[in-house]
Structures are given as C-alpha cells and as structure tokens.
Amino acid sequence: MKEMESKDIQTWKDQYPLLNKLISMEEVFWINPHIERFQTGITKSPLTQEDVRDAEERLKRFAPYIAKVFPETKEMNGIIESPLVRVPSMKQSLELNDQQPISGELLLKCDSHLPISGSIKARGGIYEILKHAEELAFHHQLLTVQDDYSILDSDRFRTFFSQYSIAVGSTGNLGLSIGIISARLGFQVSVHMSADAKQWKKDLLRSKNVKVIEYEDDYSKAVEEGRIQAASDPTCYFIDDENSHDLFLGYAVAASRLKKQLEELEITIDEDHPLFVYLPCGVGGGPGGVAFGLKLLYQDHVHCFFAEPTHSPCMLLGLMTGLHDKVSVQDVGIDNRTEADGLAVGRPSGFVGKIIEPFLSGNYTVSDEQLYKLLKELVDTEGIHLEPSALAGMIGPSKLCNEGTDYLQKHRLTEKMSKGTHIVWGTGGSMVPEEIMTQYYQKGLKLALEK
C-alpha cells in the first residue's frame, strides 16, 4: 500500500477515472492499455510453451493412477477434463435481457463439472500435488518415469506420503482440490479457509480426513497462516496460490485440450474467426494460466477477459494502477464481501498480473445480484447448474458487444464478430449440495421478479 499512500486517493482517482466507479462498486468494463502483440509480449514471460508441455506430459504419466483411484475419470482414461457445450438458448436470453445482440456463437466450458473436485481448481491444484508427489518419489528412488503410476495406489506409497504434509489457504474450491487429492495419496493435509468459504465445502473436506482451519478474516489471512504453518515444518509443502508457477502451468494445460474440443465441434479459430474467452477471476492463477495457455496456441487470434465481483475487483485494480499485489481493494475502501466465494480476494497475485499484463484484453466487474439472475437463467434455458462465482463470465459477451466497441475497432474485429466464438468459462458448481443450489436458484428468481 506504500505506493498508494504516497499519493492521496483523490490523486489516484484523477489519474484513473474508472477508480471512482470501482470504489462505488458499480459494474465497469476496462480495456487493458498495456496489451501487446503476442510475439513481443511472450519475450517478457518467465514461462514458455515447453513448460506447459512438461506439465501436460506429467499429467499423462499420472493418468493410470487417476483412473484407478477416481473411477469417474475412467472413461477419459484418467485425464481430468470437462465438456465444451453450445448454449444457444442462454445466448437468446442474454440478448433479450440486455437488449444487446451478441455477434458470434456462444459456448460454455464446463469446468464446473470437472471430475474429482468439480471446479477449475481440479486443474492447477491437483497438478501441483501430483508434481510434488512425483518429486518426492523420484528423490527417494521409489518411482521412475518408465513406471506405471497406478502403483502409487498402494499401502507402500500411502505410508511413504504420510510422512509429509500439505498446507494451503483457500476461499473454498482450491482447498477442495488440494484436500481431496492430497488425502487420497496419503499426505497429511491442512486447509486454511477464509470467512467467506461455504460451510458445505468445509464439511466435505472434513469427511475426507482433511484438517480444516477456519478464520474470521479474508483469503489473504488464510494464505498467510498456511505459509506460517509450512515455514515451521520442514516436511510441510505449501501451495502458494499467489505465486505458484506449478498451479499456473496446471491451468495452462487446458488450452491444448480446448483446441481439440473446438476442432471436434468444427469451430475454426484464425485471423478471420476470432475467439473471445471470459474467465472469472479471484487471485488470478486459474484464469491467468488458462489465458496464457490460450495465447501460446492462438496468439493474437484469442482475446481473454477477466471477470470479477464489484466488491472484489483486485486484479483490475492491480493491473489498472500497475501496483499489482502492492494494492488491495480494502486500500481504496472496497469491502471484499461477495457471495462469489471463489472470487472473494482482496489482493491479486503479482506474479500472475505481471505475466498476463501483455496478453489480457480487458477486465470487467459484475454485481452479486447479476450473478444470481444469470444462475437462474442458465438453469431455465440450458438446465446447467453453476455456483454464483462461475457465472461471472456469462455477461462478458454482452459487455464486449456493448461497452467494448473501442477494443473491437482498434483490433479490427468489428467485421469479424459474426464469424467469432465466445467461450464463457464455468469455473465451479457440480459439487454444490442440491438444497443449496435450490436456494441459489430461488434467490435468482426473486431478484429477476423484482426488476
């Protein structure tokens, strides 16, 4: 916060007029002025295509183990992946409600239905634990890359991993993914959960023999406490959601799989057929990793937008001011209180912000009320159930077509929109208990009737 203290808030508001709306917690749409051509932006990145490929190969090595211990992945041969589906009825509903035509096709990437932990965190979180387990097993000469990794499902390996512990701070979904896979491998695992984490997520973790430590503070405090625990125990490995390269790379693997799904749907992505992707954003690792992977594949033909709650626009604030993790939403008087628990983050990842800055097209905010109405609408039109935070991406196409015309013109996209594809990233929801999902729906219905 020192950088922001060096000027008063009014000076910052004068420099960044959008800050006034951000502080008033109004919905905003921001175009990133620092976006670069892919070929120049990638030269600044500490991560490469080779790093992503390495992560992809590691996940393939673990596939026999995953297929064995999580039967729901057997059909995919142990690959943890989600469907990509067309949602034409939802598109019609958005156009009608917003009085805004959406040019191009609308699809939903259902990371809400990823196996094992039912959210996008099943990508990065599970990947980092698998990498850590592999490194430990290699170091103690218990495993080689030539082995069939299904041997990890044995008392011998569970006993070995039980000598080690895992710690993570989470608002919910990352904790679920880390807790489930760590406990299954045999690790002792502690999940430090912030005040906004849903009770059912805590209960589910405890049912898997995961130690859940609760805090009355927000996400940053949970992460800080997890870091302290790991620092005091040499056998403890800390999953650092704010700074982890491994989490980031686990998410980035999604891009090559999405490419295959688009090809199967006979959807072309090239200069004349642009791709627009809308990613709900908390601390930034999940959306940042996915966006980075997509830029590696599609370069300047893909346009990625982050979506955040009006009460927790940490990444937008960090990118807009250039302060990244040196500023939090609380520093400017925003309360970081939102129903979108997975996005309830006050301070962004500086690591992600700096990597993604040359590649991100923009960022926008969405109110909690809007999330609930979109949740209800998606159930009514497509029969798909997401948790509130996962709906943040859904309003993106309407916002781009309405408030993003400057961006479209600058990048010569206006005439190409009819051949474009919009993908909304549905980040979580399939593990929400039915009675809670019903409450979400009823709240969305009530808000829709009030308008």
Side-chain angles (χ1 to χ4, degrees):
M1 172 58 179
K2 285 178 183 167
E3 285 87 348
M4 192 155 263
E5 283 173 352
S6 64
K7 306 179 189 180
D8 60 41
I9 293 289
Q10 188 55 51
T11 306
W12 283 97
K13 287 180 177 178
D14 293 342
Q15 189 171 349
Y16 304 103
L18 198 67
L19 196 54
N20 291 285
K21 285 189 172 183
L22 219 56
I23 291 170
S24 300
M25 291 175 276
E26 296 176 43
E27 291 191 354
V28 302
F29 186 90
W30 175 77
I31 295 170
N32 178 15
H34 305 295
I35 191 169
E36 300 177 33
R37 300 285 294 179
F38 173 79
Q39 293 299 348
T40 55
I42 196 63
T43 62
K44 301 171 183 175
S45 172
L47 299 174
T48 66
Q49 180 72 64
E50 198 48 52
D51 294 315
V52 180
R53 206 170 286 121
D54 178 59
E56 202 162 1
E57 290 305 311
R58 184 168 288 104
L59 287 168
K60 285 177 186 172
R61 291 199 293 275
F62 271 97
Y65 168 76
I66 296 293
K68 188 176 179 186
V69 298
F70 296 106
E72 64 269 35
T73 69
K74 199 169 279 185
E75 197 178 316
M76 294 284 292
N77 299 313
I79 296 297
I80 303 164
E81 200 39 77
S82 70
L84 176 67
V85 298
R86 290 183 164 98
V87 284
S89 298
M90 185 64 184
K91 182 189 172 192
Q92 285 180 355
S93 176
L94 288 168
E95 291 176 322
L96 188 65
N97 290 338
D98 298 322
Q99 294 295 293
Q100 173 62 58
I102 296 170
S103 194
E105 193 169 19
L106 182 65
L107 294 95
L108 179 67
K109 180 60 173 156
C110 300
D111 271 11
S112 47
H113 293 69
L114 276 170
I116 304 178
S117 66
S119 84
I120 189 173
K121 302 298 185 181
R123 297 184 184 280
I126 289 173
Y127 171 73
E128 180 154 1
I129 294 299
L130 295 178
K131 185 181 180 195
H132 178 58
E134 184 184 60
E135 286 173 346
L136 285 173
F138 282 175
H139 181 71
H140 289 84
Q141 299 179 329
L142 298 174
L143 189 69
T144 71
V145 287
Q146 284 77 39
D147 286 330
D148 176 345
Y149 278 30
S150 63
I151 61 172
L152 290 163
D153 181 34
S154 63
D155 289 340
R156 178 191 180 206
F157 276 98
R158 279 187 288 274
T159 301
F160 168 68
F161 290 130
S162 71
Q163 303 169 78
Y164 300 91
S165 57
I166 305 288
V168 64
S170 174
T171 60
N173 284 344
L174 182 65
L176 278 183
S177 72
I178 299 293
I180 290 169
I181 187 66
S182 299
R184 195 62 193 253
L185 280 158
F187 288 107
Q188 308 295 318
V189 55
S190 301
V191 179
H192 300 257
M193 297 193 100
S194 52
D196 34 67
K198 303 299 185 195
Q199 188 60 47
W200 70 265
K201 295 182 182 180
K202 299 171 189 173
D203 294 343
L204 179 59
L205 280 169
R206 288 185 173 120
S207 76
K208 307 278 187 188
N209 296 318
V210 172
K211 184 179 181 184
V212 177
I213 304 155
E214 301 180 54
Y215 299 92
E216 291 184 9
D217 295 288
D218 74 358
Y219 165 85
S220 295
K221 177 67 173 176
V223 172
E224 182 190 331
E225 292 297 327
R227 200 176 269 126
I228 290 168
Q229 178 197 345
S232 65
D233 179 0
T235 68
C236 185
Y237 181 77
F238 177 60
I239 306 293
D240 189 345
D241 196 13
E242 296 174 330
N243 300 297
S244 171
H245 286 206
D246 290 330
L247 278 178
F248 190 86
L249 291 169
Y251 298 122
V253 170
S256 61
R257 298 177 180 178
L258 180 74
K259 183 173 185 285
K260 188 172 175 233
Q261 290 179 318
L262 286 166
E263 287 165 357
E264 286 168 356
L265 291 171
E266 299 183 343
I267 293 172
T268 301
I269 308 299
D270 59 23
E271 188 176 357
D272 295 318
H273 301 80
L275 174 63
F276 303 91
V277 184
Y278 309 90
L279 297 139
C281 180
V283 76
V290 170
F292 180 74
L294 287 169
K295 292 302 280 191
L296 286 172
L297 281 181
Y298 293 117
Q299 302 190 8
D300 297 321
H301 307 322
V302 64
H303 308 269
C304 298
F305 294 86
F306 286 175
E308 297 181 278
T310 52
H311 286 248
S312 306
C314 70
M315 185 59 75
L316 200 166
L317 182 64
L319 286 165
M320 183 174 70
T321 60
L323 295 177
H324 298 292
D325 57 336
K326 301 295 189 294
V327 66
S328 74
V329 300
Q330 292 94 332
D331 291 339
V332 297
I334 302 173
D335 60 13
N336 191 34
R337 294 188 181 278
T338 171
E339 290 291 306
D341 59 323
L343 312 181
V345 179
R347 188 180 302 276
S349 163
F351 153 65
V352 173
K354 288 165 190 169
I355 278 196
I356 211 66
E357 192 170 46
F359 304 124
L360 189 69
S361 296
N363 195 319
Y364 63 87
T365 60
V366 55
S367 70
D368 283 10
E369 292 77 13
Q370 183 81 274
L371 295 177
Y372 279 109
K373 287 194 275 190
L374 291 164
L375 182 152
K376 173 254 176 202
E377 209 59 34
L378 187 63
V379 173
D380 287 352
T381 57
E382 305 286 353
I384 299 171
H385 297 74
L386 305 183
E387 61 186 339
S389 60
L391 272 302
M394 191 59 76
I395 201 68
S398 301
K399 284 189 174 290
L400 177 63
C401 293
N402 182 23
E403 298 170 65
T405 49
D406 287 351
Y407 178 86
L408 298 178
Q409 286 167 6
K410 182 181 176 183
H411 294 271
R412 299 177 181 175
L413 293 163
T414 310
E415 305 302 320
K416 300 173 183 176
M417 294 298 285
S418 61
K419 296 178 183 175
T421 301
H422 302 271
I423 294 179
V424 171
W425 216 274
T427 48
S430 63
M431 294 185 79
V432 176
E434 192 176 338
E435 65 274 15
I436 293 173
M437 189 59 82
T438 301
Q439 290 169 21
Y440 290 159
Y441 178 86
Q442 292 300 329
K443 188 164 183 176
L445 180 61
K446 184 169 180 277
L447 287 164
L449 293 172
E450 286 171 0
K451 72 171 184 178

